[in-house]
Amino acid sequence: MKQEEKLYSQTELADKIGVSKGTLSKWISKNDVSPETIKGNRKLYKETIIEKYKQDKKINNSEKKKSFSTVEYLKKEIEQQRLEIEYLKKKLDEKDDQIAAYAGKFAKLADQAQQLNLADKPQLIQNNKNDVVSSKNEERKQETSRVSMTTKRRSWFSRLFKRS
């Protein structure tokens, strides 16, 4: 004689596994498990589903262990940020070296410009000396003309009022 396998409803299977009926129902629909028979409104399943469920959960749990926790994720992010900071520091050092090189070139150009300016200075200084001497002579002439004008005024004034 053939031994009959007992069939269980979703509620009974959920109780045996230790999960809620909703959890088992979601797992059944997700894994496309079909019932063995349907009696009225009840779907009946073989007991082998319990083993399939447990196997599936073991696989999922091992995959979850392989996945990163929040702390591990943050540690990886920190490491990536640290590497990026090191890279940026290297780039900054390169830019500092470039700036120093350009500063040296600029100083050299400034020295050359100053030398050229000084080469033109003797002519300018000579022209300025001549201008200064001529302007001093001009100022003396103007001052003497003012003095003579004031003396003429006094003399005219004194003549007008006959004061000496």
Side-chain angles (χ1 to χ4, degrees):
M1 261 200 198
K2 217 194 263 189
Q3 191 174 11
E4 260 184 64
E5 288 188 27
K6 188 171 180 191
L7 299 176
Y8 298 96
S9 68
Q10 283 187 10
T11 307
E12 293 169 338
L13 287 172
D15 289 340
K16 282 191 172 204
I17 296 172
V19 295
S20 68
K21 181 184 174 201
T23 303
L24 182 65
S25 181
K26 287 177 188 175
W27 179 82
I28 287 172
S29 63
K30 179 181 168 187
N31 292 304
D32 294 326
V33 177
S34 56
E36 195 64 31
T37 60
I38 299 176
K39 285 189 179 177
N41 252 357
R42 291 179 55 184
K43 296 177 184 176
L44 300 174
Y45 300 91
K46 289 185 180 180
E47 196 170 359
T48 56
I49 290 180
I50 295 172
E51 287 302 315
K52 288 180 184 177
Y53 179 83
K54 287 181 180 178
Q55 280 290 89
D56 189 46
K57 289 302 169 184
K58 282 182 186 176
I59 291 171
N60 285 341
N61 285 339
S62 66
E63 286 176 7
K64 285 181 183 177
K65 287 179 184 176
K66 289 179 185 176
S67 68
F68 297 117
S69 69
T70 305
V71 174
E72 291 170 343
Y73 173 76
L74 291 175
K75 283 180 181 178
K76 285 202 175 231
E77 283 293 315
I78 289 171
E79 182 63 23
Q80 287 176 349
Q81 293 295 323
R82 187 186 61 75
L83 291 173
E84 186 175 352
I85 288 170
E86 287 178 12
Y87 171 76
L88 291 174
K89 281 182 180 178
K90 287 178 185 175
K91 285 292 188 183
L92 184 62
D93 289 341
E94 289 175 10
K95 294 295 180 184
D96 287 344
D97 292 342
Q98 287 178 349
I99 290 171
Y102 287 135
K105 290 178 182 178
F106 177 74
K108 188 175 180 180
L109 287 173
D111 287 343
Q112 289 175 352
Q114 188 176 17
Q115 288 173 356
L116 287 172
N117 193 12
L118 290 174
D120 292 341
K121 279 279 187 190
Q123 295 172 356
L124 292 174
I125 291 172
Q126 187 63 35
N127 290 342
N128 284 342
K129 282 183 181 177
N130 292 339
D131 290 344
V132 168
V133 169
S134 65
S135 66
K136 283 185 180 180
N137 288 338
E138 189 67 33
E139 286 177 11
R140 284 184 190 152
K141 287 179 184 177
Q142 286 178 355
E143 195 162 320
T144 55
S145 68
R146 281 188 209 139
V147 169
S148 65
M149 290 284 281
T150 54
T151 56
K152 287 180 183 177
R153 282 186 191 160
R154 283 187 194 154
S155 61
W156 178 82
F157 188 74
S158 62
R159 275 188 273 152
L160 183 64
F161 294 103
K162 295 186 182 185
R163 287 187 188 167
S164 27

